[in-house]
């Protein structure tokens, strides 16, 4: 290193070479240093929890579960595309009631801990539900749907618990809010990349029910996070105060939601998601069953979806490097427009125009997935940052869960409306004549949220904050509240020593 520094000062030609090597080292070691920085500022247990839950549980496990569920509904339960679209949306109900999980983690500690027991509980529920689906033969459709919903609830509980820590740290370290969301998104995207890559192969080798059995491992990891997660113990909690704490939390949520800086962007997020009609099941059946379609094999579907995850990683990286300092409204405008335009690639594919242009299905759909996932991630990232900044002190987990439940309600509405659209247009397991029209209607609907873009704040992503009276900054006892909230993520070793 010393020799390089001396050469750097000696001559022009040598300086160019060493600068290139230094830049290469920066590119290679930049992400490592970034993660180390977050671990130092926020504690390693938080980073471990994010990577484990977003990356492995939701990213890898969620992608495996998505492909397994699609083939399970199509090949095992043999339902129609519109029915599959509606039924799988029901499994998302636990994500809509996330405020319930959030308020439990905020006001109801178990054995003196606010977070650790809920991670463990989530893992146990997930493992049990996946075992039932994978082991029981000839499981009735509605019983299978029940166990899928329980597994979804397990993932939602783990998600809202780590979200509470993310929201708290976003308020405590506002300059790191974008970095935390980038870590969450990159972990999720990389996990999804690996999960989708393996999904088709695993479905082919062990079947969709076998994949459900393998999903017990990501859920078991959630319990491991609960066991090692660093959280100080709160002794002497009075459970007689729980009712009052629920009431106080409800009042604080209502007071915050009445603030125009909160309900306006929340309404925009719901509208933006609800009007982006989800017709994925119709496209999936066309990809795999239609004689006029590509007739992709299971391994091919998994590989294509994994390549799409590369687009998601590119989107998260592009946001982190270029777009995280831009105003909310401007970035929402352009990403929504690009989101609508990206949907036209599906229309070209369904109409088989790509073949007339000499582009094979496999190549074209890979490009389609990359572009769609990248733009979708760019569209989602600023909304996540905005959501984390709308949470007041004291009820970070509860309110973040409330805002995310609004988003999930938008997703479920999108799925139901998409299912209705497929049903009305008579898109079935064997009939895909009107699928192109469903894609076109979906693309047009994606433009409509631009008419309510005024609901999004104009502020910069790094400096935007709620009024002081909403955030509780007028209180003189913030430090005492922070200590009582018990989210400092102190060293696990030190916690063990104190016990």
């Amino acid at each position: 290193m010393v020799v390089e520094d001396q050469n750097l000062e000696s001559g022009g030609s040598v300086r160019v070479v060493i600068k290139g090597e230094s830049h290469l080292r920066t590119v290679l070691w930049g992400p490592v240093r970034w993660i180390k920085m977050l671990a130092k500022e926020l504690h390693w247990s938080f980073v471990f929890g994010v990577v484990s839950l977003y990356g492995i549980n939701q990213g890898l496990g969620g992608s495996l579960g998505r492909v397994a569920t699609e083939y399970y509904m199509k090949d095992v339960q043999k339902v129609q595309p519109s029915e599959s679209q509606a039924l799988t949306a029901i499994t998302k109900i636990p994500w809509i009631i996330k405020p319930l999980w959030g308020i439990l983690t905020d006001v109801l500690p178990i054995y003196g801990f606010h977070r650790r027991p809920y991670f463990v509980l989530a893992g146990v529920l997930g493992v049990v539900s996946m075992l039932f689906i994978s082991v029981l033969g000839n499981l009735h459709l509605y019983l299978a749907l029940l166990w899928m919903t329980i597994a979804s609830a397990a993932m939602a509980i783990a998600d809202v618990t780590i979200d509470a820590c993310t929201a708290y740290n976003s308020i405590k370290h506002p300059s790191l809010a974008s970095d935390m969301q980038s870590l969450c998104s990159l972990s999720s995207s990389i996990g999804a990349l690996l999960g989708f890559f393996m999904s088709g192969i695993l479905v082919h080798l062990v079947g969709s029910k076998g994949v459900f059995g393998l999903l017990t491992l990501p859920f078991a990891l959630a319990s491991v996070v609960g066991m090692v997660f660093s959280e100080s113990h709160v002794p002497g909690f009075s459970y007689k105060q729980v009712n009052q704490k629920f009431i106080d939390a409800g009042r604080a949520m209502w007071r915050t939601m009445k603030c125009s800086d909160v309900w306006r962007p929340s309404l925009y997020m719901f509208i933006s998601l609800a009007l982006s009609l989800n017709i994925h099941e119709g496209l999936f059946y066309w990809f795999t069953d239609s004689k006029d379609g590509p007739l992709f094999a299971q391994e091919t579907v998994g590989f294509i979806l994994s390549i799409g995850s590369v687009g998601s990683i590119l989107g998260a990286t592009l946001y982190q490097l270029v777009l995280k300092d831009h105003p909310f409204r401007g970035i929402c405008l352009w990403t929504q427009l690009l989101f609508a335009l990206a949907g036209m690639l599906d229309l070209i594919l369904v109409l088989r125009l790509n073949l007339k242009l000499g582009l094979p299905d496999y190549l074209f759909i890979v490009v389609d997935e990359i572009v769609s996932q990248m733009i979708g991630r760019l569209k989602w990232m600023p909304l996540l940052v905005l959501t984390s900044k709308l949470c007041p002190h004291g009820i970070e987990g509860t309110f973040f869960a409330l805002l995310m439940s609004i988003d999930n309600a938008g997703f479920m509405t999108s799925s139901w409306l998409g299912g209705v659209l497929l049903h009305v247009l008579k898109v079935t397991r064997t009939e895909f004549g009107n699928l192109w029209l469903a894609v076109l209607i979906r693309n047009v609907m994606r433009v409509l949220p631009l008419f309510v873009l005024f609901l999004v704040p104009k502020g910069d992503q790094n400096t935007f904050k709620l009024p002081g009276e909403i955030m509780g900054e007028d209180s003189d006892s913030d430090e005492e509240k922070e200590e009582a909230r018990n989210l400092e993520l102190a060293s696990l070793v030190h916690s063990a020593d104190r016990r």
Side-chain angles (χ1 to χ4, degrees):
M1 292 298 294
V2 175
V3 174
E4 289 179 359
D5 290 340
Q6 290 174 350
N7 289 338
L8 185 62
E9 298 174 355
S10 60
S13 60
V14 177
R15 181 165 59 249
V16 173
V17 175
I18 299 301
K19 182 177 180 180
E21 294 178 355
S22 176
H23 178 70
L24 178 60
R25 287 195 300 272
T26 300
V27 171
L28 292 176
W29 290 100
V32 176
R33 293 175 179 173
W34 173 56
I35 293 176
K36 286 183 177 180
M37 179 273 294
L38 289 177
K40 180 180 179 180
E41 295 290 334
L42 306 172
H43 199 269
W44 69 268
S45 60
F46 171 75
V47 175
F48 173 73
V50 167
V51 173
S52 298
L53 297 174
Y54 279 110
I56 300 177
N57 186 264
Q58 294 186 38
L60 189 146
S63 57
L64 285 175
R66 171 184 162 184
V67 176
T69 300
E70 289 174 345
Y71 277 104
Y72 181 79
M73 300 297 280
K74 181 173 75 75
D75 297 334
V76 178
Q77 298 294 346
K78 300 185 182 303
V79 300
Q80 296 291 346
S82 58
E83 186 181 3
S84 176
Q85 188 86 47
L87 291 176
T88 53
I90 292 176
T91 64
K92 303 304 180 183
I93 290 178
W95 292 81
I96 296 179
I97 59 173
K98 280 181 68 175
L100 174 61
W101 319 129
I103 202 169
L104 286 174
T105 62
D106 277 338
V107 307
L108 186 61
I110 300 176
Y111 296 109
F113 294 102
H114 280 277
R115 310 301 178 193
R116 297 175 65 179
Y118 291 96
F119 286 132
V120 175
L121 174 64
V124 171
L125 288 176
V127 169
V128 171
S129 59
M130 290 294 96
L131 282 177
F132 268 94
I133 298 177
S134 61
V135 172
L136 296 180
N138 298 322
L139 192 61
H140 191 276
L141 174 61
Y142 293 116
L143 283 178
L145 190 66
L146 173 63
W147 287 115
M148 288 180 184
T149 305
I150 293 175
S152 179
M155 191 172 290
I157 292 172
D159 176 79
V160 77
T161 307
I162 195 65
D163 279 349
C165 300
T166 304
Y168 174 81
N169 285 325
S170 295
I171 296 170
K172 187 179 179 183
H173 304 276
S175 62
L176 297 178
S178 298
D179 294 282
M180 281 183 274
Q181 293 300 337
S182 295
L183 176 64
C184 295
S185 294
L186 285 173
S187 299
S188 177
S189 299
I190 294 173
L193 170 62
L194 297 175
F196 282 130
F197 181 78
M198 297 186 298
S199 61
I201 299 174
L202 291 175
V203 169
H204 178 74
L205 292 177
V206 300
S208 56
K209 295 179 66 175
V211 174
F212 284 130
L214 294 175
L215 288 177
T216 57
L217 299 177
F219 278 113
L221 182 61
S223 293
V224 173
V225 171
M227 295 175 185
V228 303
F229 195 76
S230 180
E231 182 182 8
S232 300
H233 184 263
V234 180
F237 178 79
S238 176
Y239 287 92
K240 296 180 180 180
Q241 301 175 359
V242 171
N243 289 338
Q244 186 59 43
K245 287 181 176 293
F246 271 98
I247 294 173
D248 292 341
R251 289 174 178 171
M253 291 170 62
W254 175 246
R255 182 176 64 252
T256 305
M257 186 55 74
K258 289 193 300 182
C259 176
S260 61
D261 289 335
V262 176
W263 70 261
R264 287 165 61 91
S266 299
L267 179 59
Y268 172 80
M269 286 187 280
F270 174 81
I271 294 174
S272 175
L273 295 169
L275 294 184
S276 300
L277 303 185
N278 181 3
I279 56 172
H280 173 77
E281 296 303 320
L283 290 170
F284 173 73
Y285 278 58
W286 181 76
F287 289 153
T288 56
D289 283 358
S290 175
K291 295 180 180 180
D292 296 327
L295 289 175
F296 288 138
Q298 296 163 342
E299 298 91 337
T300 305
V301 171
F303 181 75
I304 290 172
L305 292 174
S306 69
I307 295 299
S309 297
V310 174
S312 183
I313 296 173
L314 291 175
T317 304
L318 180 61
Y319 171 82
Q320 172 67 19
L321 296 177
V322 181
L323 301 175
K324 69 176 184 178
D325 297 323
H326 285 64
F328 282 115
R329 189 176 296 182
I331 193 172
C332 287
L333 169 64
W334 290 107
T335 54
Q336 190 69 41
L337 279 174
L338 290 173
F339 191 54
L341 290 174
M344 299 304 294
L345 294 175
D346 288 333
L347 185 62
I348 293 174
L349 184 65
V350 172
L351 291 176
R352 317 305 284 143
L353 298 178
N354 60 297
L355 297 179
K356 296 180 180 179
L357 297 174
L359 298 174
D361 289 329
Y362 187 80
L363 175 62
F364 190 83
I365 197 172
V366 165
V367 174
D368 184 2
E369 278 293 315
I370 292 176
V371 172
S372 299
Q373 291 293 332
M374 181 180 69
I375 295 175
R377 180 62 65 178
L378 289 175
K379 175 179 178 291
W380 184 233
M381 288 294 294
L383 297 180
L384 280 177
V385 174
L386 178 59
T387 299
S388 68
K389 289 178 174 289
L390 297 178
C391 302
H393 287 299
I395 55 169
E396 301 90 0
T398 304
F399 203 77
F400 191 88
L402 173 63
L403 295 177
M404 293 306 296
S405 70
I406 294 174
D407 294 347
N408 288 314
F411 279 121
M412 191 171 74
T413 303
S414 171
S415 294
W416 279 344
L417 292 177
V420 171
L421 180 63
L422 292 174
H423 179 73
V424 170
L425 295 179
K426 295 180 172 31
V427 177
T428 66
R429 296 173 60 94
T430 57
E431 179 58 48
F432 301 94
N434 289 329
L435 182 60
W436 70 271
L437 183 57
V439 174
L440 180 61
I441 293 174
R442 181 202 64 181
N443 295 342
V444 173
M445 295 290 285
R446 286 180 175 181
V447 180
L448 298 183
L450 294 177
F451 292 99
V452 293
L453 193 62
F454 62 88
L455 296 172
V456 178
K458 295 180 179 179
D460 181 82
Q461 296 185 62
N462 294 320
T463 59
F464 174 83
K465 62 185 300 187
L466 292 178
E469 61 272 15
I470 298 296
M471 296 300 293
E473 295 178 355
D474 53 343
S475 174
D476 296 330
S477 58
D478 283 347
E479 294 184 359
E480 295 178 3
K481 288 182 178 179
E482 287 185 6
E483 183 177 357
R485 290 291 305 123
N486 194 27
L487 286 174
E488 286 294 341
L489 299 180
S491 170
L492 179 63
V493 175
H494 291 168
S495 298
D497 290 340
R498 284 197 298 271
R499 291 195 295 271

